[in-house]
Amino acid sequence: LDEIGERTNSYILVHQNFMCRMSCHFWMREYMDVAKLSEKYSEKHPSSQQKRILEVLRVFFEGIAYLSLARDTKQAKWRSMGEKAVIKMCQFESIGYKGNIENKSTLLEAELLYLNGDIGLAEVAYKASIKSAHAHKFIHEEALAYELFGMFCVENRWVDKGTKQLHIALEKYKEWGATKKANDLQLFIDLV
């Protein structure tokens, strides 16, 4: 599809294919693939060409990926890129997308607080993201917030609390119809 899009100068096709691939990697927690895909795509298609709502999703996916990679690898470049995504998301929120962005912005903030070692404020931010996603009926992002909060809890040795959050995420993913994601999360829960 990329070839067809490039050959026919169909920016829409190229961008939709990019977002589809990025979304698949994101939801399966393949964060290095998100980063590589984003870097490759960004070279040819700067974000100024994108529709605003698609840019919001892209920044959200990239931000979660970069902050997770920063925690896992301890590499400063991922931290820097994650911090930029948090700032960009806050800018989106300030220009009038509050209802659509509040939970995303708060979840990115939770991940950054966690990366910075501010465990107490991170927990508050995860809970706020869950509440916002629920209030705005973004079931998939509510599931994601529960999942990341659950992993945060498990990684901080609050295993019972973490597995409870992960089970809620599992049910939310099933409700959303994300069978593959639910199955993968169940495999993780079985290891905890």
Side-chain angles (χ1 to χ4, degrees):
L1 287 176
D2 280 341
E3 272 182 39
I4 295 169
E6 294 289 342
R7 198 176 26 185
T8 61
N9 291 321
S10 176
Y11 169 74
I12 292 171
L13 178 60
V14 171
H15 188 71
Q16 290 294 35
N17 189 42
F18 161 73
M19 287 302 295
C20 180
R21 288 174 31 218
M22 178 177 266
S23 180
C24 289
H25 289 305
F26 174 81
W27 289 106
M28 298 315 297
R29 298 184 55 82
E30 298 165 347
Y31 294 145
M32 188 59 75
D33 291 329
V34 169
K36 288 177 184 175
L37 183 63
S38 181
E39 181 179 26
K40 178 182 172 189
Y41 182 83
S42 295
E43 291 172 5
K44 291 183 179 181
H45 306 281
S47 62
S48 62
Q49 296 176 357
Q50 299 171 13
K51 299 269 188 224
R52 183 72 59 164
I53 193 63
L54 295 178
E55 188 173 356
V56 167
L57 288 174
R58 179 181 178 174
V59 169
F60 178 62
F61 290 167
E62 290 171 345
I64 295 291
Y66 297 152
L67 293 168
S68 179
L69 289 169
R71 269 197 320 278
D72 292 347
T73 68
K74 311 291 188 253
Q75 292 181 13
K77 83 173 191 176
W78 300 125
R79 170 187 284 280
S80 175
M81 294 167 80
E83 288 169 344
K84 288 176 185 172
V86 172
I87 291 166
K88 185 94 169 159
M89 191 63 71
C90 289
Q91 290 170 344
F92 289 142
E93 190 176 12
S94 72
I95 59 172
Y97 289 102
K98 187 171 171 82
N100 286 333
I101 294 180
E102 179 181 62
N103 69 294
K104 295 171 188 67
S105 179
T106 308
L107 189 56
L108 282 173
E109 186 179 322
E111 289 284 284
L112 181 58
L113 289 164
Y114 178 26
L115 176 63
N116 290 337
D118 196 336
I119 304 304
L121 284 178
E123 181 176 8
V124 170
Y126 283 116
K127 289 177 180 178
S129 179
I130 290 166
K131 184 177 178 181
S132 175
H134 181 79
H136 292 97
K137 302 191 184 332
F138 297 140
I139 191 165
H140 59 302
E141 292 173 5
E142 183 181 1
L144 176 65
Y146 273 115
E147 178 184 7
L148 294 179
F149 182 40
M151 291 186 172
F152 160 83
C153 291
V154 168
E155 290 171 2
N156 283 286
R157 294 183 174 85
W158 305 328
V159 177
D160 290 342
K161 184 177 187 174
T163 53
K164 179 181 176 188
Q165 307 310 310
L166 293 170
H167 279 287
I168 296 169
L170 181 66
E171 293 308 311
K172 295 289 180 182
Y173 283 130
K174 287 178 182 177
E175 186 178 338
W176 184 39
T179 308
K180 172 90 170 96
K181 177 65 180 175
N183 291 342
D184 284 354
L185 183 56
Q186 183 64 62
L187 291 173
F188 177 80
I189 292 170
D190 291 345
L191 296 173
V192 173

